[in-house]
Amino acid sequence: MTSIFEQALGDDFARLSPMMRKRFGVGLDAGYACVGTGVMSRIRRGPWWVVPFLYVGRLRNILIPDVGENVPFTIENYPYRDPLGRETVTFVREYRVRRRPSRFDATMILSDGRVLDYLGTHQHLAVDLDLRVGDNGSLHLESGAQRFYEGRLIGFRFPMLFSGRARLHEWYDEDAEVFRIELEVRNAVFGFLFGYAGEFRCDFPEATDAPARLKPVRHESRV
């Protein structure tokens, strides 16, 4: 078995730079995790009226309302098998803008040949991800359709008018020996909502399970 990212990218996975292949090669069979530590040079958000929207998202670790410069952060990617038998990889980011860190929770699985991203502590939001490899061995990720799940509520397509489309660009800087990352979230009508840019270094500890603190409170069966 290969990692969920390698399966989703197919032959294009080999076009990633070596360190990017290692970073996104995290999986149960690979037997290791990826733990990144670094600094966000800048975290920013849109106009004042997006702030309430961001604070609501913070309640379930879906959005980050904080802003700042030179903000320490960590990202933890651990593989585990969820209670539904699916290989899952955590993408948990923690930002130390203030005394109490802000946290963004995501867990990813492979569904019908593509990576599906569950957001938040309760996997309320399921987001399809489109991936492509850049000419310099970088990874470009764009969020697609979003579905909301809560209790018995049947999953419905979350209206993009009330949400945003994320575009992420990540690559390895061979000269500086760091991973670099840039992200922007934009709404089709209201424009820029949230974004950041930063750099980090990674350790790759052995792992075939994720710490309980990184797993969601509940796992959603619906995709």
Side-chain angles (χ1 to χ4, degrees):
M1 290 289 292
T2 53
S3 75
I4 62 173
F5 281 89
E6 184 170 358
Q7 292 178 68
L9 284 167
D11 292 341
D12 278 347
F13 187 81
R15 296 177 51 229
L16 290 171
S17 67
M19 289 301 292
M20 288 291 288
R21 288 200 300 271
K22 184 170 185 179
R23 168 152 165 66
F24 288 95
V26 169
L28 290 173
D29 285 350
Y32 67 85
C34 177
V35 179
T37 304
V39 173
M40 287 296 176
S41 57
R42 188 181 182 193
I43 300 176
R44 56 198 181 98
R45 66 187 177 209
W48 63 268
W49 41 262
V50 308
V51 175
F53 175 75
L54 296 175
Y55 270 97
V56 170
R58 184 181 187 177
L59 296 175
R60 292 294 174 88
N61 293 353
I62 294 176
L63 292 170
I64 304 294
D66 298 319
V67 296
E69 295 182 352
N70 300 318
V71 177
F73 83 100
T74 58
I75 178 167
E76 298 183 87
N77 307 124
Y78 276 83
Y80 72 98
R81 193 167 300 282
D82 75 10
L84 302 168
R86 304 173 301 190
E87 180 167 356
T88 306
V89 179
T90 67
F91 274 75
V92 175
R93 304 168 183 88
E94 191 171 87
Y95 308 89
R96 296 188 173 273
V97 177
R98 59 185 76 194
R99 181 173 299 178
R100 180 185 177 187
S102 294
R103 184 167 140 164
F104 177 87
D105 285 22
T107 41
M108 300 188 185
I109 66 167
L110 191 73
S111 176
D112 294 329
R114 71 189 307 171
V115 175
L116 177 68
D117 192 5
Y118 287 111
L119 302 182
T121 56
H122 292 64
Q123 294 192 341
H124 281 316
L125 202 59
V127 181
D128 296 333
L129 299 183
D130 295 320
L131 310 173
R132 67 178 180 86
V133 178
D135 292 338
N136 62 346
S138 61
L139 182 67
H140 297 257
L141 177 155
E142 183 170 339
S143 62
Q146 303 177 9
R147 294 167 297 282
F148 182 80
Y149 300 106
E150 173 58 35
R152 295 182 179 180
L153 183 67
I154 296 175
F156 67 92
R157 231 172 239 273
F158 201 79
M160 295 306 292
L161 176 63
F162 303 107
S163 187
R165 188 176 299 278
R167 290 183 173 89
L168 179 143
H169 179 206
E170 186 171 323
W171 70 101
Y172 187 71
D173 185 330
E174 298 282 353
D175 295 330
E177 297 184 334
V178 296
F179 292 91
R180 300 195 185 277
I181 187 169
E182 296 176 351
L183 174 135
E184 279 197 356
V185 181
R186 290 184 173 273
N187 178 276
V189 175
F190 302 113
F192 176 79
L193 299 179
F194 175 79
Y196 58 67
E199 63 181 46
F200 57 100
R201 289 182 167 85
C202 290
D203 294 319
F204 300 92
E206 293 183 1
T208 54
D209 195 8
R213 61 182 174 81
L214 300 180
K215 295 178 181 180
V217 174
R218 74 174 178 91
H219 288 83
E220 176 59 61
S221 62
R222 294 164 291 187
V223 297

